[in-house]
Amino acid sequence: MAYAKTTLEAAALPEGGGFAQRWRHWDKTSIVWLVAIAILVLLVVNPLLRLLVVSFQDGEGAFTLANYVAAYGRSRHVEALLNSLILGVSAGALCLLFGVPMAWALSRTDMPCKGLVWIAILGTFIIPPYLGAVGWILLAGPNAGWLNKAVVALTGADKGPFNIYSMPGLVLVVACYSFPYVFVLTKSALDLVSSEMEDAANILGAGHVRTTFLITLPLVLPAILGAFILVFLEAIALFGSPALLALPGRFHVVTTQLWQFFEFPPKIGLAAAYAMPLLAITVLLFWLQRRITHRKGYVSLTGKGGERRNIALGPWKWAVLGWCVFVTTLSFFMPLAVICQAAFAKAWGRGWSLDNLTFRNVYAIVFENALTRTATWHTFLYAGTASLIALVLALCIAYITNRNLVNRHVGNALGFLTMAPFVVPGIVLAIGFYAAYTHPPLLLYGTAWILILAFTTRFLPIAYVNSNAAIRSINPELEEAVRTLGGSRLTAIRHVVLPVLKRSMAGAFILVFIPATRELSTAIFLYSINTQVLSVLLFDKSDEGNFETLASIGLVLVVITVALILAGFRLMGRDFMLRRTVA
């Protein structure tokens, strides 16, 4: 319409009509789109391409395969890769055991206290995995852990049976903070399954247990398999929990081995080569997960609007509730309790008592400790700036692709590039940024900008998913009306699009800001002494064994996250954190 008219008028200009006339009729917003595309290439393509190139270069820049030989020519490097695979499979299986029954209980049964369980699962999302690992060190440390001390006190044994610094301990901690993905994806699928097929099975004599295993769960099996793959990818890409638990246990996984390669002097070529199988596994399994969960044939559809009725469990509802409380106690209640106890204790090992209670730890962290104050300021500044850049860039790309401002194939490529960081583990992305921006012409290492841009890239997919959904909800005819009345595209965006998107974008900003404030796997490779953030400070303090300070820093992070989530609840509703983040 108006755009076509402008284009025709521009075409009708006589040859040699002058640059001024052509400039007047040219859509100035094209400059914005070109800049957005250039930034996208700089943030996504350049680091990953540089990562691939560096993996085949020696110290002089010549082509070599020595990095791959060195990376996988030593048995301990291969053992670290196998440990990661074991961790991923074991944690995924345990997450299914935790999450699927809970999803079924909340979606399909009359189990009581569903609100409490839902809050506990949200609380598990709130606690960063590495902070959960700190909580489990306090609970199941081999000597002073509370659970071991309780067993010794009750049985008189010489030592407790639990050792969190082991592969089973690591699997448990990773599963505790990854099972919500299984829960949300499975529950979302179960919520779409109507009760008619289950009613038919019951009429034919099948009991509730048989119906659940033969009818209900097979209908949501693709979602369960997709969730398992997602948890597997999350487990093998984690850095914080393995670094806190595996290194003291004297074994490595891929992410901790990559961190070892960055000890001075950093072996960037070796690290890049070692990261390639992790990236390849992630891309392959993510593609498989998308294929599985995008199947359309596993939800039963009826002409009655998909009516669902809760299953009456009778006395068994208390057993089901007990399982849900047991899982959330492992993941939320116990770790949070010991973290709070350590944060407000003069000496955490002395237990709960009034004479051991103090607010000094938290007060010192917030108001007195200059290092913590600086790290807190950096955390807010970097996360806020990265969230803003990610949101603006995602909005531009979403607008370009949804309004067909570029060729369809170009639009698909832009959408793919914007979502690509989702399949790149944070630690691999950090190595790519290190390889790309530690040399001229863009020498960013040691500055705040390398962390800000890395956070932007890491969480760009979250901003894009929300921006794309918001842009698609706006009818293009509203903008065309503005342009018909003589307004430019920029005027239509400023006066029509942005006011409509204001609420959605506030929620999207929070969804990017929350994980950016707690990001460790990217920050640990890219920070310098002048750009430290809270997550890195917490990790560094773990070596000192000062759990009171560790718990206080973690508690500050949790309070910040809770405040942001409450703001999100007010803007987007109670499901905005669980459903939108997983989506």
Side-chain angles (χ1 to χ4, degrees), residues 206-341:
H208 291 314
V209 174
R210 188 177 182 187
T211 300
T212 298
F213 280 98
L214 296 183
I215 302 296
T216 309
L217 291 182
L219 288 172
V220 297
L221 184 60
I224 295 174
L225 292 176
F228 175 84
I229 293 174
L230 191 63
V231 169
F232 178 90
L233 296 177
E234 172 79 4
I236 65 173
L238 274 178
F239 171 75
S241 299
L244 290 170
L245 301 179
L247 294 182
R250 300 184 182 277
F251 66 95
H252 277 289
V253 294
V254 167
T255 51
T256 58
Q257 185 62 59
L258 284 170
W259 186 55
Q260 295 264 312
F261 291 149
F262 267 72
E263 292 182 347
F264 188 83
K267 307 175 184 67
I268 183 62
L270 183 59
Y274 194 68
M276 282 302 160
L278 179 61
L279 181 59
I281 291 171
T282 304
V283 171
L284 177 62
L285 290 182
F286 179 76
W287 172 82
L288 181 60
Q289 189 262 352
R290 301 292 285 183
R291 287 291 301 270
I292 291 173
T293 55
H294 280 186
R295 284 178 53 190
K296 303 299 182 182
Y298 65 89
V299 175
S300 63
L301 300 176
T302 72
K304 298 181 180 180
E307 181 183 1
R308 291 189 304 110
R309 287 178 295 278
N310 288 334
I311 298 171
L313 295 177
W316 286 101
K317 64 185 178 183
W318 301 109
V320 175
L321 175 61
W323 176 253
C324 294
V325 171
F326 170 73
V327 173
T328 52
T329 297
L330 294 178
S331 65
F332 177 65
F333 293 115
M334 282 201 310
L336 185 62
V338 295
I339 288 169
C340 290
Q341 185 270 335

Side-chain angles (χ1 to χ4, degrees), residues 44 411-421 464:
V44 179
N412 291 337
L414 292 176
F416 172 78
L417 286 179
T418 310
M419 290 299 296
Y464 179 72

Side-chain angles (χ1 to χ4, degrees), residues 32-56:
V32 178
W33 317 138
L34 291 174
V35 170
I37 293 171
I39 293 174
L40 182 64
V41 171
L42 192 69
L43 291 179
V44 179
V45 178
N46 187 39
L48 296 181
L49 186 61
R50 185 61 186 158
L51 180 72
L52 178 63
V53 170
V54 166
S55 71
F56 290 102

Side-chain angles (χ1 to χ4, degrees), residues 11 54 75 193 230 251 258 268 306 310 351 354 365 374 383 388 395 407 422 432 491 495 513 547 551 562 573 579:
V54 166
S75 60
V193 177
L230 191 63
F251 66 95
L258 284 170
I268 183 62
N310 288 334
L354 287 178
I365 289 297
T374 302
L388 187 60
L395 272 173
N407 179 277
F422 188 77
T491 301
H495 292 288
F513 187 85
F547 289 106
V562 169
R579 291 186 181 275

